[in-house]
Amino acid sequence: MTNAYIEDFSPGHGTLAPRAWHPASNAKALSLNGSWRLRVSPTADAEDESFAEPGFEAGHWAEVTVPGHWVLQGDGAFGRPAYTNVRYPFPVDPPRVPTENPTGDHLRTFDLPEEWPADGGAVLRFDGVESCARVWLNGTGLGEFQGSRLPHEFAVGHLLKRTGNVLAVRVHQWSAGSYLEDQDQWWLPGIFREVTLLHRPPGSAGDFFVHASYDHRSGEGTLRVDSEVDGRVRVPALGIDVATGEAVTAPVRPWSAELPVLYEGELATAGERVPLRIGFRTVELTDGLIKVNGTALLLKGVNRHEWHPETGRTLDLETMRQDVLLMKRHNVNAVRTSHYPPHPAFLDLCDEYGLWVIDECDLETHGFGEQGWRDNPVDDDRWTPALLDRAARMVERDKNHPSVIIWSLGNEAGTGRGLTAMAEWIRGRDSARLLHYEGDPNCRDTDVYSQMYASHAQVEQIGRRLDGGPRRRRELPFILCEYAHAMGNGPGGLADYQRLFESYERLQGGFVWEWIDHGIRHPELGYAYGGDFGEELHDGNFVCDGLLFPDRQPSPGLIEYKKVIEPVRIEGDGADRTVRVTNRHDFADLSALAFEWSYQVDGETIETGPLSVPVLLPGESAELKLPAPERVHGPGETQWTVRAVLTADTAWAPAGHEVAWGQLPVAALPLPLVRPTAGPVAADGVIALGPAAFDARTGALRSIGAVAVSGLRLDLWRAPTDNDEGLDWHTGIRHAGPWRDAGLHRLRHRLDSVELGEDTLTVRTRVAPAAAEFGLATEYRWTCEGERLRLAVSVRPDGEWPVPLPRLGVRLGLASADAVRWFGAGPGEAYPDSSTAARLGRHESTVDALQTPYLRPQENGARAGVRWAELGGLRIEGDPEFSLTARRWTTEQLDAATHLTDLTAGDTVWVNLDHALHGIGTASCGPGPLPQYQLLAEAAEFSFVFTELHNS
Ligand code: IPT
């Protein structure tokens, strides 16, 4: 059968052996990117192969852009994307694939450029095709290959013509290889990375391996370039000019992610000059730790899938650079290329800007987990050649990148002989890097003990080396290759993980899951997620769990992560004017940073100045004295803010970019006082109390001065976050379900009494869900002093509450509100376990800008620690401080929405003033909020003081 290659265990036929990737050489290259003709058929055998013959008339075929995924072009005419996490979207019967196997026949013609040399050979290179391709040039079949995110080359020199070359590529969406590519992402067929024709001059370089180590004791680097074709290796800055295969040692500056020193060099063979960028570094496992250049690393990483909301996994260089810049600017120092080798140019950027990389092989067989790992390809020798091919294609392509310090065998593939074979091959080829694979708890083939989504308590156990386990594992360092699932609002609990990483040397950090939401731009829905293209089997918005929104705007999670992992710690005692600065870099001293202090009264900066900090080495700290403020200020809340900023432009951020900060409180704000000056008076169905009017029958607030207020009452409900909806594997607790079961989304407010006291209007209620015997006895006590109206709310649980509370506070409706000002934490949202990045100060925003656009609408946008806020003509002071949320729709509408486009502004601005909120946690995949962040139903009392604003 001619289509047998599709369901073949083997990786393909006819391709060249894999070799090192490099961006350019003096040899000619012709990009074959651009407009191609495309015909998509529903099955692999719907059309014969005549399209590959020269002279075939394809003028009526559609045009698509290569590189690209055909399902993201043509508005659905070529099929649609589909998303599944773990489950295969086809019957599991390896290596067989469905008859319905969308097949894209791609065609283009090309001429050789005038200056294309007549001598030498040529190579046709594909950097990535999903999932299986058969290739013809000028009617001659070149071969077939699988392995979507890996390069494949064919020798084509003998087939080339000066003009009218016909390149035909048949791409099948499904192949045996699909069983090895069950990553949690969209299934997106197509030629999604570059196609290039490379001239190979006589005497051109073949494969080459740059070995560049660094001895931190002597300060010397040793370089040896092994090359298939002999030649010379030159590094002018080091005066190096040696033959390939010859080692040379010289004093060098080492490469690290913090100080990424690269030496420009070249490999010159008889026919070609290949540029080299050499970073000297030595990766070792010593003393049970991952060390580079003798220093143990703390990885502050992210898992990066390649994603663009319009082009899917086709990324241009600028998008890749944007990712790297965003990572560097947010203090991220490491990337796991989940779960396949990225576009090779991304690794060049990691070398250049400085990021530690775990390069992961294009391998995941997660769906076999659904059947107890029966028939798992990684434990079946028939698949081993394909696994080895994948390992080799990754290692050979990427081996010359200093940024790559660890190879990863793949993700979620269970255990088996095939993995061991990969590990053995990799170790044989490259002994200078470490090996990672998370799926084997025995760490049989790895140098790093790795887990995903372990709880804080488990991580602490491992840090303390109390976790036992097999002997080999006990001697290994630990990383969380995935943690802090950044789906929707969150992740919560980052700071608590970081404290553990910093406390136990065995814990060498982790990689947040994941970098970017894989939302697909959609004309009606804004961004689409699983199910939005009519997939029968899908996993909804689980594909949107990134620190960046699809348009690469940082989410609050990334802002929080930046603060949590900042490489300089600034803390101290504000009252005492002492600040302690600690350099938490692994390699860099503090010479790149300038420090400045500022002094704030009630959130307003009134004095600033430079702080001179010694050039601390990694790990060192210094205690410094802040200057005495020039004026004595008070009464008011006072604090110091100390910031560390870049002194000069760097490759990744301009001078002045803030790297770290700390705030040191001095004196707290006196709480607002209200000494009653008037009492409630009832007349004509209205109770008047100072500036306020209430409904005499219900006690409901109607207005404060000229500001109409509606619906003010106790509120416990929030639109569940993705983390609320999740199941905490560790405790078996899920929040949103039990909250709904308990009826918290449909509370009833029974009015018990409206009492007019001498200076207090008291409204007593009982707040409880239908069908439940538990409730909250809730009392609203109103008093006023002149124009200032105080509301004191007290709640007392009545009966056994089976669940924690989503929130505890009041909600109220304002007829209009736009601008918002507040003194409190900001500028971004903050929840109890995601509040590290919010700083105390004066902030301004608008109701619209307070919303965080999580792709699936959910609770968002709370501003924490609010002392006072002004909006909609009111000033609201908290006693104590509160959380503020304001939106143009109700919580119920937010809860019901599935996409942002479902939310439409109503006439009322709904404001929540929360005394407390339940934590966020990361139970969408992992642990829920730690006990200290849970909001239990307990007796509580809190107050607000409302004043009408007259001039705004
Ligand atoms: C883990 C996967 O490795 C990752 O690809 C992603 O699916 C993540 O979960 C959740 O978004 S696997 C899971 C069983 C922990």
Side-chain angles (χ1 to χ4, degrees), residues 191 234 239 297 409 421 461 591 619 625 629 645 758 829 833 857 904 931:
I191 304 175
R234 300 193 186 94
L297 303 184
L409 301 180
Q461 281 279 86
S591 55
K625 201 81 184 164
V645 302
E758 195 183 322
E829 71 179 32
D833 51 352
T904 45

Side-chain angles (χ1 to χ4, degrees), residues 472-750:
R472 170 164 179 83
R473 190 176 89 185
R474 273 182 272 146
E475 288 163 4
L476 296 181
F478 180 79
I479 62 165
L480 278 169
C481 68
E482 294 178 25
Y483 79 115
H485 197 249
M487 185 179 184
N489 186 335
L494 277 172
D496 308 273
Y497 277 112
Q498 197 63 25
R499 261 192 294 281
L500 296 172
F501 299 159
E502 291 175 5
S503 305
Y504 302 101
E505 73 164 9
R506 187 187 189 191
L507 308 179
Q508 292 200 266
F511 296 77
V512 167
W513 186 267
E514 68 176 303
W515 176 239
I516 184 169
D517 287 342
H518 312 203
I520 296 181
R521 200 102 194 70
H522 188 284
E524 285 88 44
L525 300 172
Y527 290 106
Y529 50 76
D532 289 337
F533 297 104
E535 305 107 288
E536 289 178 318
L537 191 69
H538 66 83
D539 291 292
N541 68 318
F542 208 65
V543 75
C544 296
D545 49 5
L547 293 170
L548 296 181
F549 293 107
D551 62 0
R552 288 190 156 67
Q553 284 305 309
S555 81
L558 183 57
I559 310 296
E560 175 77 357
Y561 196 38
K562 174 185 179 182
K563 172 67 179 152
V564 164
I565 58 177
E566 60 190 8
V568 180
R569 176 71 36 83
I570 298 167
E571 52 206 353
D573 181 341
D576 202 31
R577 291 190 288 113
T578 20
V579 56
R580 192 167 56 260
V581 175
T582 307
N583 180 2
R584 302 205 54 98
H585 287 97
D586 292 327
F587 296 90
D589 64 27
L590 294 187
S591 55
L593 298 175
F595 289 78
E596 48 191 56
W597 59 264
S598 58
Y599 186 72
Q600 285 95 33
V601 177
D602 289 338
E604 213 119 49
T605 295
I606 53 161
E607 283 180 42
T608 61
L611 179 68
S612 128
V613 175
V615 178
L616 300 170
L617 297 177
E620 287 185 346
S621 44
E623 289 241 334
L624 305 158
K625 201 81 184 164
L626 292 160
E630 271 174 24
R631 293 172 280 140
V632 180
H633 312 277
E637 182 162 359
T638 46
Q639 65 175 11
W640 300 92
T641 300
V642 176
R643 306 186 329 126
V645 302
L646 290 177
T647 40
D649 292 351
T650 64
W652 47 271
H657 165 83
E658 184 181 273
V659 170
W661 57 275
Q663 286 188 319
L664 288 52
V666 181
L669 184 72
L671 290 171
L673 264 184
V674 168
R675 287 182 218 81
T677 52
V681 183
D684 303 326
V686 173
I687 299 170
L689 176 65
F694 299 83
D695 183 297
R697 195 173 53 77
T698 63
L701 177 68
R702 284 178 172 173
S703 58
I704 301 171
V707 179
V709 180
S710 58
L712 186 149
R713 62 190 198 181
L714 190 80
D715 197 6
L716 306 180
W717 184 237
R718 74 181 182 199
T721 64
D722 292 316
N723 287 314
D724 292 337
E725 298 281 2
L727 171 72
D728 178 335
W729 311 338
H730 306 280
T731 59
I733 293 174
R734 199 187 273 280
H735 288 303
W739 282 343
R740 284 188 216 274
D741 291 346
L744 298 194
H745 59 311
R746 46 172 174 75
L747 293 170
R748 307 294 163 84
H749 297 250
R750 183 186 72 206

Side-chain angles (χ1 to χ4, degrees), residues 85 184 339 364 366 411-412 452-453 482 485 513 542 545 729 925:
N85 169 10
D184 174 8
H339 299 303
E364 173 159 344
H366 210 163
N411 184 57
E412 293 282 4
M452 38 176 84
Y453 309 106
E482 294 178 25
H485 197 249
W513 186 267
F542 208 65
D545 49 5
W729 311 338
C925 188

Side-chain angles (χ1 to χ4, degrees), residues 196-216:
T196 319
L197 183 72
L198 301 157
H199 180 241
R200 308 307 297 135
S204 59
D207 184 37
F208 58 94
F209 199 157
V210 177
H211 305 276
S213 60
Y214 180 72
D215 182 341
H216 65 278

Side-chain angles (χ1 to χ4, degrees), residues 69-86:
H69 305 279
W70 71 70
V71 293
L72 293 181
Q73 303 187 50
D75 273 335
F78 314 132
R80 301 268 187 195
Y83 165 58
T84 59
N85 169 10
V86 174

Side-chain angles (χ1 to χ4, degrees), residues 831-913:
Y831 289 80
D833 51 352
S834 62
S835 62
T836 316
R839 59 187 106 192
L840 186 61
R842 295 280 186 103
H843 303 284
E844 286 186 16
S845 187
T846 61
V847 170
D848 292 329
L850 288 179
Q851 316 306 311
T852 308
Y854 296 116
L855 260 59
R856 187 189 70 81
Q858 53 195 276
E859 167 63 29
N860 73 84
R863 298 320 196 258
V866 177
R867 278 68 171 157
W868 56 256
E870 293 177 355
L871 80 166
L874 291 179
R875 179 179 172 93
I876 306 165
E877 296 159 81
D879 174 8
E881 61 197 48
F882 61 97
S883 277
L884 171 72
T885 313
R887 39 178 87 100
R888 300 191 185 279
W889 33 82
T890 62
T891 297
E892 290 70 21
Q893 288 164 330
L894 186 64
D895 189 3
T898 65
H899 293 81
L900 288 167
T901 45
D902 294 338
L903 295 170
T904 45
D907 295 336
T908 304
V909 171
W910 291 100
V911 179
N912 275 90
L913 310 175

